[in-house]
């Protein structure tokens, strides 16, 4: 806790309705906290649909109460958690069931089951492989509510950056780490090797500054890492390293020069990892509004719900072949934040982001050129399917209303953010990769190396990543002497 109040820096607003779900035949359901409307909507899908939903949510709330301390907040480095007996009973009753089977205890129709399980994608699993405890996601979204930071997620990063800099944190931009340097004899990491390549704008800015001010201070600055000049393979020494790059990449790329014995056989263990899906992401700027068809959060589901999940999690070098031929067989998520935050686009325009689940990339396969070609076909297929579903949902003239677009596929996600296999949600969250079974944030051999992020504990998603980062920060602060960490000056 650094004594800052989030509310003073970021405005958070509840998203209402929570989301709208569109089925392939054009039917749709809107989920909100308006009991009367919800009863009408859910009873239209299944007899006593609303009452069944309430019973399901009671169980989902218990799973959140139990799952939060056990799977999310528990710092396993500190030992085993103590849970109330009723929560242990709740957990013992569910964990081995898949989320889909668990839903079968409450609902009969596939649509009701689909309504409360597509969120499993957030944890990189299908409803057929996700443990039942992940009904806690519905509790988070529907009982506690979905909240949106005005200005978008970028606003949070921007505010955190300002607060960090105000508190003396030095951030090195346009700098990528190429290696974490370890000393096997001491079982410690010594620092990072980095490449600094200033962006064009930054170089120009620096040139101007240099012309203005050629003084001694600038000379000293030349020797520091923040020097605005290309650097390759420089060493930045550190007492403690916390790697925020995806854990498999940290181990397999950044530590590649470190002997295998110091990496606890990571390469072998990694072969058994199950990875989350990737996505084709599409961002559109549109010169028309589609408020009736799209809520802030909308989901478009295939009616072939089960088969539509097949292959989305199997690594492949030809993801384009896995995508269905019929545009109605895609599942996808749509974000249209201007319903909550008008600042994100000009009036009478819309800002839309679509995520189409796609398989992770196979480790071995065709040439990079072949994978790139497959990716282009994959992106084109996803784009076309989404536009057709939008048109079916009454979004007339959508295609001709697009004024700008950017589309990113698994290979681009992999290359841009060093995400192994292009898995955008890190390693998946099946039972054998959850909590204690998930890679530890503390390196097994190198005692001053830590990891934070989606592929370590507790798991994927911004809130979980932040919970993990806080635990790591507290752990380092509590062990400054043991780690040989000198406070920053
Ligand atoms: C399209 C999309 C939408 C999402 N929406 C949501 C959402 O609405 N809510 C939610 O909770 N989660 C969402 N997620 C998931 C969420 O973004 C991730 O779980 C989260 O960002 C993971 O955090 P991280 O710190 O592990 O990785 P990142 O946020 O990717 O941070 C890791 C950083 O390390 C940097 N890095 C990597 N390698 C190096 C290197 N060698 N040198 C220097 N820097 C390096 C990367 O550039 C990156 O900036 C979404 C994910 C995607 C892809």
């Amino acid at each position: 806790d650094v004594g800052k109040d989030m509310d003073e820096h970021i405005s958070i607003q509840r998203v209402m309705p929570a989301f709208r779900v569109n089925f392939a035949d054009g039917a749709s359901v809107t989920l909100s906290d308006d009991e009367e409307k919800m009863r009408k909507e859910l009873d239209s899908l299944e007899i006593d649909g609303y009452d069944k939903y309430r019973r399901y949510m009671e169980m989902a709330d218990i799973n959140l109460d139990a799952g939060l301390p056990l799977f999310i907040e528990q710092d396993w480095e500190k030992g085993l958690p103590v849970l109330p007996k009723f929560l242990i009973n709740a957990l013992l009753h569910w964990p081995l069931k898949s989320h889909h089977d668990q839903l079968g205890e409450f609902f009969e129709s596939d649509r009701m089951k689909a309504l409360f399980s597509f969120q499993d994608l957030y944890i990189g699993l299908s409803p057929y492989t996700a443990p039942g405890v992940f009904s806690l996601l519905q509790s988070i979204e529907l009982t506690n509510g979905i909240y949106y930071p005005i200005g978008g997620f970028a606003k949070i990063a921007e505010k955190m950056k300002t607060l960090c800099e105000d508190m003396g944190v030095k951030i090195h931009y346009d700098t990528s780490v190429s290696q974490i340097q370890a000393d096997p004899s001491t079982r410690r990491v010594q620092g990072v090797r980095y490449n600094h390549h200033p962006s064009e704008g930054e170089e120009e800015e620096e040139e101007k500054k240099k012309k203005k001010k050629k003084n001694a201070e600038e000379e000293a600055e030349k020797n520091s890492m923040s020097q605005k000049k290309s650097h390759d393979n420089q060493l930045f020494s550190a007492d403690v390293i916390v790697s925020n790059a995806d854990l498999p990449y940290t181990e397999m790329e950044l530590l590649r020069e470190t002997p295998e014995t110091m990496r606890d056989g990571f390469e072998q263990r990694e072969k058994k990892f199950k990875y989350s899906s990737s996505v084709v992401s599409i961002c559109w700027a549109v010169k028309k509004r589609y408020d009736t068809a799209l809520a802030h959060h909308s989901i478009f589901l295939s009616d072939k719900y089960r088969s539509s999940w097949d292959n989305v999690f199997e690594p492949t070098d030809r993801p384009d072949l896995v995508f269905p031929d019929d545009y109605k067989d895609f599942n996808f998520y749509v974000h249209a934040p201007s319903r909550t935050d008008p600042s994100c686009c000009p009036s009478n325009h819309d800002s839309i982001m679509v995520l189409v689940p796609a398989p992770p990339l196979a480790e071995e396969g065709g040439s990079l050129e072949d994978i790139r070609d497959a990716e282009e076909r994959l992106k084109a297929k996803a784009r076309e399917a989404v536009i057709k579903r939008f048109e079916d949902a009454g979004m007339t003239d959508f295609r001709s209303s697009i004024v700008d677009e950017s589309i990113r596929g698994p290979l681009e996600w992999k290359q841009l953010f060093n995400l192994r296999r292009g898995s955008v949600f890190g390693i998946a969250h099946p039972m054998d990769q959850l909590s204690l079974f998930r890679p530890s944030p503390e390196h097994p051999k190198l005692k001053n190396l830590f990891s934070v992020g989606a592929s370590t504990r507790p798991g994927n998603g911004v809130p979980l990543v932040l919970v993990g980062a806080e635990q790591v920060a507290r752990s380092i602060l509590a062990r400054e002497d043991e780690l040989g960490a000198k406070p920053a000056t």
Side-chain angles (χ1 to χ4, degrees), residues 175-177 244-245 249 355 413 417-418 424-425 453-454 460-463 465:
T175 303
S176 61
V177 172
N244 184 203
Y249 165 85
L355 297 182
W413 279 106
F417 295 104
N418 293 324
V424 292
F425 307 119
N460 166 67
V462 175
V465 166

Side-chain angles (χ1 to χ4, degrees), residues 43-54:
D43 285 355
S44 74
L45 291 182
E46 183 169 324
I47 295 166
D48 294 333
Y50 181 77
D51 293 332
K52 291 174 183 168
Y53 157 72
R54 288 303 332 152

Side-chain angles (χ1 to χ4, degrees), residues 22 64 69 178 193 279 289 294 343 348 372 415 417 441 450 468:
N22 300 273
L64 179 62
S178 52
R193 296 222 165 257
V279 287
R289 294 287 298 200
L294 297 180
S343 75
N348 300 324
R372 272 207 191 103
Q415 291 175 334
F417 295 104
F450 296 79

Side-chain angles (χ1 to χ4, degrees), residues 122 153 172 175-179 193-195 243-247 249-250 253-254 278-281 297 333 335 353-355 408 413 416-419 423-426 452-456 459-466:
Y122 307 163
F153 251 115
H172 303 276
T175 303
S176 61
V177 172
S178 52
Q179 187 197 337
R193 296 222 165 257
Y194 67 92
N195 299 316
S243 176
N244 184 203
D246 201 30
L247 187 133
Y249 165 85
T250 299
E253 296 297 330
L254 299 182
S278 188
V279 287
V280 172
S281 59
H297 297 292
Y333 159 82
H335 189 221
M353 185 202 62
V354 183
L355 297 182
R408 194 177 279 169
W413 279 106
L416 266 171
F417 295 104
N418 293 324
L419 295 169
S423 291
V424 292
F425 307 119
V452 291
S455 291
T456 180
N460 166 67
V462 175
L464 268 64
V465 166
L466 290 177

Side-chain angles (χ1 to χ4, degrees), residues 140-281:
I140 291 173
E141 292 198 334
L142 296 167
T143 305
N144 294 283
I146 300 174
Y147 289 81
Y148 180 81
I150 299 301
F153 251 115
K155 189 59 105 192
I156 297 184
E158 190 189 306
K159 291 286 176 182
M160 282 176 88
K161 172 192 123 86
T162 309
L163 284 177
C164 285
E165 287 181 335
D166 286 352
M167 295 173 74
V169 174
K170 189 159 186 186
I171 301 172
H172 303 276
Y173 298 99
D174 297 312
T175 303
S176 61
V177 172
S178 52
Q179 187 197 337
I180 295 175
Q181 189 163 304
D183 176 1
S185 66
T186 57
R187 294 178 59 166
R188 288 178 63 87
V189 286
Q190 300 160 309
V192 294
R193 296 222 165 257
Y194 67 92
N195 299 316
H196 175 67
H197 296 286
S199 56
E200 273 176 30
E202 192 189 0
E203 264 176 343
E204 274 168 31
E205 195 56 32
E206 277 309 307
E207 273 310 306
K208 275 189 214 158
K209 271 191 201 162
K210 272 184 188 163
K211 277 180 194 156
K212 266 188 177 175
K213 181 180 157 192
K214 277 196 170 175
N215 55 19
E217 196 184 295
E218 199 178 84
E219 274 307 303
E221 183 79 350
K222 267 187 193 164
N223 297 323
S224 84
M225 186 181 163
S226 62
Q227 182 189 358
K228 306 299 183 217
K229 197 176 139 193
S230 288
H231 279 287
D232 279 319
N233 223 24
Q234 300 287 305
L235 179 68
F236 184 83
S237 301
D239 300 326
V240 173
I241 295 177
V242 180
S243 176
N244 184 203
D246 201 30
L247 187 133
Y249 165 85
T250 299
E251 287 282 350
M252 299 173 84
E253 296 297 330
L254 299 182
L255 285 169
R256 68 189 172 281
E257 304 290 335
T258 306
E260 180 68 14
T261 48
M262 280 292 106
R263 293 197 280 134
D264 208 24
F266 186 85
E267 257 83 352
Q268 287 311 313
R269 285 187 285 130
E270 192 273 342
K271 287 194 176 97
K272 294 192 188 125
F273 280 1
K274 294 170 199 89
Y275 281 83
S276 66
S277 72
S278 188
V279 287
V280 172
S281 59

Side-chain angles (χ1 to χ4, degrees), residues 18-33:
F19 48 84
R20 179 185 157 112
V21 178
N22 300 273
F23 298 102
D25 65 356
S28 69
V29 175
T30 302
L31 297 186
S32 67
D33 61 357

